[in-house]
Amino acid sequence: GEALKVGSVSFGVALLPLISGRVAIRSVTIARPELVYEIDKTGHSNWQAASAPAPQAAGTPPQSVEDLITSSEAPQAAVSQETLAALDRIGISKLTIADGTLTYRDRRSGREETLTAVNLTLTAPDLRRGAALDGSFDWDGTKETVALTLGARPDPGKLAALPVDLKLSGDLATIAAKG
């Protein structure tokens, strides 16, 4: 099946920052996205590439965001200055997900979980200084809320652990984590 379907996407980009090579996204709205993360009976995800990327030599720092994501090393791994500079040129004033659905399906166990009415707002005008995510979703008939704040990178020259403040709450409980 399909891994991702989207009803519509709209966005606005600030033109003046483009002159200096910075991408300042004013707003992005993704309406009615349907994301399915499925693990087949052999343990492979529908989000894995058809062929696995070539393994990196030991001690070689990731050179791109894709390398960082597929690396088996901890997130504290050294990232090239070019990769950090590229990430630092991106800013998203407001990303909105409206009326989304997220499904997790494991064909090995038969387990399936679905979040509906997913409504989230991400603000990250300057990725060096952190980001915030707020919103709500329905899970198993209960409305849940989420608030996540990522702080600034402690060392602007490295991609390392970030300060995090997370709160999930619903009718039955509230879970909070800070660190």
Side-chain angles (χ1 to χ4, degrees):
E2 293 178 280
L4 177 64
K5 290 193 300 185
V6 174
S8 67
V9 176
S10 60
F11 64 94
V13 176
L15 297 178
L16 194 55
L18 289 174
I19 295 170
S20 65
R22 179 163 157 62
V23 179
I25 301 169
R26 290 185 185 182
S27 65
V28 176
T29 300
I30 304 170
R32 299 173 313 283
E34 296 176 25
L35 185 135
V36 177
Y37 182 80
E38 183 171 1
I39 300 172
D40 66 20
K41 290 186 179 195
T42 64
H44 293 93
S45 152
N46 63 332
W47 283 78
Q48 288 175 315
S51 61
Q56 288 181 233
T60 303
Q63 296 299 307
S64 68
V65 174
E66 291 82 6
D67 288 349
L68 183 64
I69 292 169
T70 60
S71 172
S72 61
E73 296 180 21
Q76 290 89 350
V79 176
S80 75
Q81 292 302 311
E82 293 82 15
T83 301
L84 280 176
L87 288 172
D88 289 345
R89 286 191 297 269
I90 299 170
I92 302 171
S93 294
K94 184 177 180 182
L95 174 108
T96 303
I97 296 176
D99 196 25
T101 302
L102 171 63
T103 301
Y104 167 80
R105 185 177 301 130
D106 189 335
R107 298 281 185 191
R108 298 169 300 178
S109 66
R111 181 177 177 187
E112 183 170 317
E113 298 288 340
T114 300
L115 305 180
T116 58
V118 176
N119 294 292
L120 301 171
T121 300
L122 171 73
T123 54
D126 183 340
L127 293 178
R128 292 173 291 197
R129 293 188 176 91
L133 176 78
D134 292 291
S136 63
F137 55 89
D138 290 345
W139 181 32
D140 202 25
T142 303
K143 183 174 183 169
E144 308 287 342
T145 60
V146 61
L148 171 66
T149 303
L150 298 175
R153 285 197 312 261
D155 181 345
K158 294 181 182 175
L159 185 61
L162 300 174
V164 173
D165 190 353
L166 172 66
K167 182 178 180 182
L168 293 169
S169 57
D171 293 340
L172 301 176
T174 297
I175 299 171
K178 193 171 189 170

